[in-house]
Amino acid sequence: MKIAIVGAGQFAGSFATLWHLHPEVSEVYVTDVVAERAAEYLSKYDLAGTFADFDEVLASDVDAVAIFTQRWTHGQMALAALQAGKHVYSSVPMAIESSEIEAIVAEVAGGNRIYMMGETSYYNPAVWWAREKIGAGEMGRVFYSEGDYVHDMDNGFYAAYQFSGGENWKRTASFPPMLYPTHAVGGVLGALPTYATSVSCIGVVDDRDDGVFDKSVSMFDNDFSNMSAHFELADGGVMRTNEFRRVGHPAHVHESRFRFYGTDAVMEQTSTGASLSDRSTIEDISPLFRTHQGQVPEGELEGIDEALRHSFSSGTAPVQDRSRLPKAFEGAPNGHEGSHHFLADDFVKAVRSGTHPPVNAWTAARFTLPGIAAWESALGGGVRVPVLDLGDAPA
């Protein structure tokens, strides 16, 4: 299997390492609009080669394309790659337009290509635990859930946007929070066997006055820095999600936090811990979710803002089952609460077996479309908006 990485940014390096190590991957290539960055990847990660541009990738004999480009470009690039006969791994979000998501799902449904969205929250230890407990019926009917993504701009996002956006970075740093919803929505819907049907969302207008989240500067015409949404779910339950970019919260603790309220049990995760309760007892289950510090080779985090480095240096939590991972991944850099190893391996397994991965095109749509509807709701002052659903992946 040959993979081409598109976008030699700060996030893709972890996956360049893992796919280079994977026993089912023979060659890894890279391309970037800044040729020097691709050349640096080539030597740093001992890759097979570079491509001049995305078109050259599509014309090549690589089996798969892994997209790590600007957030609003993913949909169009994924669709182009699928139409060129490539399997696709896409970083989040899937797309920012419903029409792009519909086109991707239709393309996957009509062909034999694999699409996977690299949503870290699906493998988050708290979500992993909740998926198993809810699936076994141990929490009763889960009628209310919460998923938050709490990441202040000052905690590394300014630096990340400056790296990717160049001198006009403030135009892109205003990216609407609810168009990047999957770290919150994906954790809840990654544990519950249901999907969102409607939403009411409120956006909080930014007041920092630094040119970010400024409508006169923003390419998205956005001035919301914090957004909060209530979703109706198909099973009659409720999901609340928060996407916060101006918030007094540190970077090195849980940025994605989840809570599940069932008729028989409740799991509540906070920034520092987690508890499981029923009608008579409450238990601290924090140790099950702790990933601690992972191993990171010297120089691996060079150039990454100090506030973001924790996202690229996590170990594995006790609830995450490593037995299905390649032995070559032992000791390799990991990230986002232990998710990187599972993301990299699941994509390869899906392509090699010809079966849809856990976060396939249909699941990715259910993680992404709620945010698009929430953005529309917020622009309308919180009016309730239906959420498009494209169904389940075929068996």
Side-chain angles (χ1 to χ4, degrees), residues 6 15 49 80 104 121 136 186 219 252 296 311 323 336 348 361 387:
V6 182
F15 292 84
I104 290 170
S121 71
M219 69 177 284
H252 61 278
V296 183
S311 294
S323 64
H336 287 88
V348 175
V387 178

Side-chain angles (χ1 to χ4, degrees), residues 115-131:
Y115 174 95
M116 175 174 168
M117 185 176 73
E119 177 43 54
T120 59
S121 71
Y122 184 85
Y123 303 90
N124 181 290
V127 176
W128 191 304
W129 178 94
R131 186 163 51 244

Side-chain angles (χ1 to χ4, degrees), residues 181-253:
T182 59
H183 292 338
V185 173
V188 174
L189 298 184
L192 295 175
T194 188
Y195 55 91
T197 58
S198 69
V199 60
S200 175
C201 179
I202 298 295
V204 178
V205 175
D206 193 55
D207 62 0
R208 180 73 68 88
D209 195 28
D210 65 354
V212 177
F213 301 112
D214 181 336
K215 278 192 174 184
S216 66
V217 177
S218 170
M219 69 177 284
F220 308 101
D221 196 31
N222 174 51
D223 58 3
F224 297 144
S225 53
N226 295 323
M227 304 182 76
S228 183
H230 263 86
F231 294 90
E232 178 185 12
L233 302 182
D235 64 357
V238 176
M239 170 176 67
R240 190 222 67 198
T241 66
N242 291 320
E243 288 286 344
F244 294 159
R245 302 295 179 268
R246 302 288 198 199
V247 55
H249 185 267
H252 61 278
V253 296

Side-chain angles (χ1 to χ4, degrees), residues 11-322:
F11 184 51
S14 177
F15 292 84
T17 295
L18 294 172
W19 284 323
H20 181 68
L21 289 171
H22 202 290
E24 297 288 333
V25 178
S26 59
E27 298 172 14
V28 181
Y29 297 83
V30 65
T31 187
D32 195 282
V33 293
V34 181
E36 292 79 10
R37 290 180 181 172
E40 182 180 346
Y41 257 52
L42 180 66
S43 58
K44 184 175 182 178
Y45 300 109
D46 191 25
L47 305 185
T50 63
F51 290 107
D53 53 32
F54 185 53
D55 287 339
E56 190 170 294
V57 170
L58 299 186
S60 73
D61 68 347
V62 299
D63 303 290
V65 172
I67 300 169
F68 292 94
T69 55
Q70 299 272 41
R71 297 171 184 179
W72 55 94
T73 66
H74 297 167
Q76 294 179 352
M77 297 185 80
L79 185 59
L82 289 167
Q83 291 172 340
K86 311 299 184 187
H87 304 290
V88 171
Y89 178 99
S90 174
S91 50
V92 298
M94 185 180 191
I96 63 170
E97 299 284 349
S98 298
S99 58
E100 294 176 342
I101 293 175
E102 289 182 272
I104 290 170
V105 169
E107 191 68 32
V108 175
N112 58 357
R113 279 91 64 206
I114 295 298
Y115 174 95
M116 175 174 168
M117 185 176 73
E119 177 43 54
T120 59
S121 71
Y122 184 85
Y123 303 90
N124 181 290
V127 176
W128 191 304
W129 178 94
R131 186 163 51 244
E132 292 184 346
K133 296 299 182 182
I134 293 169
E138 295 182 21
M139 299 187 72
R141 180 192 180 190
V142 178
F143 57 89
Y144 176 79
S145 304
E146 298 177 353
D148 301 333
Y149 183 53
V150 181
H151 193 137
D152 189 84
M153 288 291 294
D154 289 326
N155 287 333
F157 267 1
Y158 277 108
Y161 276 111
Q162 289 166 5
F163 178 88
S164 60
E167 60 184 29
N168 293 319
W169 65 273
K170 288 186 179 181
R171 294 184 68 244
T172 64
S174 61
F175 193 80
M178 275 294 167
L179 292 185
Y180 189 72
T182 59
H183 292 338
V185 173
V188 174
L189 298 184
L192 295 175
T194 188
Y195 55 91
T197 58
S198 69
V199 60
S200 175
C201 179
I202 298 295
V204 178
V205 175
D206 193 55
D207 62 0
R208 180 73 68 88
D209 195 28
D210 65 354
V212 177
F213 301 112
D214 181 336
K215 278 192 174 184
S216 66
V217 177
S218 170
M219 69 177 284
F220 308 101
D221 196 31
N222 174 51
D223 58 3
F224 297 144
S225 53
N226 295 323
M227 304 182 76
S228 183
H230 263 86
F231 294 90
E232 178 185 12
L233 302 182
D235 64 357
V238 176
M239 170 176 67
R240 190 222 67 198
T241 66
N242 291 320
E243 288 286 344
F244 294 159
R245 302 295 179 268
R246 302 288 198 199
V247 55
H249 185 267
H252 61 278
V253 296
H254 300 301
E255 296 168 336
S256 295
R257 297 99 56 91
F258 304 98
R259 288 160 292 279
F260 298 91
Y261 294 78
T263 53
D264 292 336
V266 171
M267 190 279 275
E268 297 176 295
Q269 186 183 32
T270 67
S271 296
T272 56
S275 65
L276 172 65
S277 61
D278 58 23
R279 291 178 182 82
S280 59
T281 63
I282 187 164
E283 174 187 1
D284 179 8
I285 58 173
S286 305
L288 296 176
F289 302 162
R290 291 191 185 124
T291 58
H292 304 290
Q293 186 77 12
Q295 301 178 37
V296 183
E298 186 176 352
E300 181 71 22
L301 302 181
E302 184 179 351
I304 297 177
D305 188 274
E306 186 69 32
L308 289 177
R309 292 188 174 189
H310 70 285
S311 294
F312 302 91
S313 56
S314 72
T316 304
V319 297
Q320 293 168 316
D321 180 11
R322 294 190 58 87

